[in-house]
Amino acid sequence: MAFRTLTTADRGAVRTITVNRPDKLNALNRETIGELTLAFRQAAQDDGVRVVVLSGAGEKAFVAGADISEMTAWTPVQAQAASHAGQTLMLTVERLGKPVIARIHGYALGGGMELAMACHLRVASEKARFGQPEIGLGLIPGFGGTQRLTRLTGRGAALELCLLGQQIDAARAERLGLVTRVVAADELDATVDAMADQLAAAAPLALKGILDAVIEGGECAIDQGLAFETQGFAIAFSTEDMREGTSAFLERRKASFKGA
Ligand code: CO8
């Protein structure tokens, strides 16, 4: 299906989804949120896709937030519906069952930072800027920022970023644990591609087991979290990929994983 506010492209088993509203710094309006949710659901259902890369079009921004121009006349009920739609998108990304890499070359602000935080890995150019500037609009984050930022960086940094609303650079974001890796701008694509290729060649059911155990298990008491881990570990033993991976190690050859 053709999207109006996104582009998608496949490179082998790597699907890149690009928010394509560069004139508005890829701000997330209702249409974009709906299209992103659909695009991620399609990626989840397509067995040919093993990894998703999420990017923003244009020179300046990954995503500069929710679209402020849409918000001005909202009633609280409309705001609640918009927040819920955005949170549904973020959960769709987070629970995709396949790794999602955010490729962040510029601004990741407000809803854009929330979207990046829903991804599993965040690779940033040293030129990227991060922030939760909602306080300056008389708002609070509405797409999960208060929750995911706290989980990623701890309460102290989450409160600092949300209360003061200031932008931080990529180096500080890395120190806070907000991004996985920071690279020079001209190394961003090669770094993302290499990471995506590594994940695309890995055993998909084992990747899913790790995602489930870390994300779902991380929300529970440790006994339940450990049960998630045991379940994923046991399921791996029902796969051909586990036999292939262990045999390849013993035979000193490169494993070839099929997703079965
Ligand atoms: N929404 C709508 N339009 C935007 C947004 C945005 N978030 N960000 C940029 N744009 C538009 C600008 O209005 C401008 O459009 P136009 O050319 O038609 O006037 C165009 O993009 C280019 O932007 P600038 O001219 O401002 O570019 P600069 O390089 O001067 O500045 C900044 C770049 C610093 C990124 C600046 O654009 C900015 O501060 N943007 C807003 C950042 C922001 O506050 N983001 C948070 C929004 S609120 C939010 O995300 C809440 C999420 C949860 C909501 C839950 C309910 C939906």
Side-chain angles (χ1 to χ4, degrees):
M1 163 188 164
F3 296 109
R4 278 166 34 107
T5 67
L6 312 177
T7 60
T8 65
D10 288 350
R11 185 178 60 81
V14 180
R15 174 158 303 171
T16 297
I17 300 173
T18 303
V19 181
N20 190 26
R21 300 184 73 213
D23 294 349
K24 297 293 176 186
L25 304 191
N26 303 317
L28 301 174
N29 61 8
R30 267 200 327 201
E31 184 177 25
T32 313
I33 286 169
E35 290 194 340
L36 276 170
T37 306
L38 185 57
F40 273 96
R41 286 183 179 151
Q42 287 176 347
Q45 285 161 10
D46 188 335
D47 289 339
V49 176
R50 290 193 184 184
V51 186
V52 179
V53 174
L54 179 61
S55 180
E59 297 289 309
K60 278 170 122 176
F62 171 71
V63 169
D67 192 320
I68 299 166
S69 66
E70 271 191 348
M71 291 178 199
T72 50
W74 281 349
T75 63
V77 171
Q78 287 170 314
Q80 186 180 35
S83 172
H84 187 255
Q87 290 179 357
T88 299
L89 165 62
M90 306 307 159
L91 285 172
T92 302
V93 174
E94 192 169 62
R95 296 179 182 168
L96 200 74
K98 302 177 184 187
V100 182
I101 304 169
R103 173 196 175 280
I104 306 161
H105 65 290
Y107 291 111
L109 300 176
M113 179 155 138
E114 292 172 300
L115 182 57
M117 289 192 290
C119 299
H120 307 118
L121 297 163
R122 284 161 289 283
V123 183
S125 153
E126 60 194 3
K127 294 185 176 163
R129 307 278 301 173
F130 299 83
Q132 296 289 167
E134 289 87 348
I135 188 67
L137 302 166
L139 287 173
I140 78 165
F143 292 162
T146 59
Q147 304 306 301
R148 291 194 180 85
L149 184 55
T150 306
R151 282 161 174 71
L152 275 172
T153 67
R155 187 188 291 184
L159 284 173
E160 180 200 331
L161 293 182
C162 293
L163 291 175
L164 299 180
Q166 288 164 344
Q167 289 181 19
I168 59 170
D169 62 17
R172 173 118 201 268
E174 188 176 35
R175 285 198 297 279
L176 290 177
L178 186 55
V179 294
T180 313
R181 198 167 301 170
V182 178
V183 297
D186 61 2
E187 289 171 17
L188 183 63
D189 284 324
T191 307
V192 170
D193 286 354
M195 200 178 275
D197 287 345
Q198 179 182 334
L199 291 164
L205 293 167
L207 291 175
K208 183 175 185 317
I210 290 167
L211 290 169
D212 287 350
V214 172
I215 293 166
E216 305 290 331
E219 300 298 329
C220 312
I222 191 158
D223 288 359
Q224 284 172 282
L226 290 172
F228 269 107
E229 184 182 272
T230 298
Q231 180 178 299
F233 186 73
I235 287 173
F237 282 74
S238 71
T239 66
E240 287 177 31
D241 282 346
M242 175 269 173
R243 274 179 285 282
E244 165 64 6
T246 48
S247 303
F249 174 79
L250 295 172
E251 293 161 14
R252 296 178 182 274
R253 62 177 172 81
K254 192 172 179 315
S256 172
F257 295 114
K258 297 190 166 54

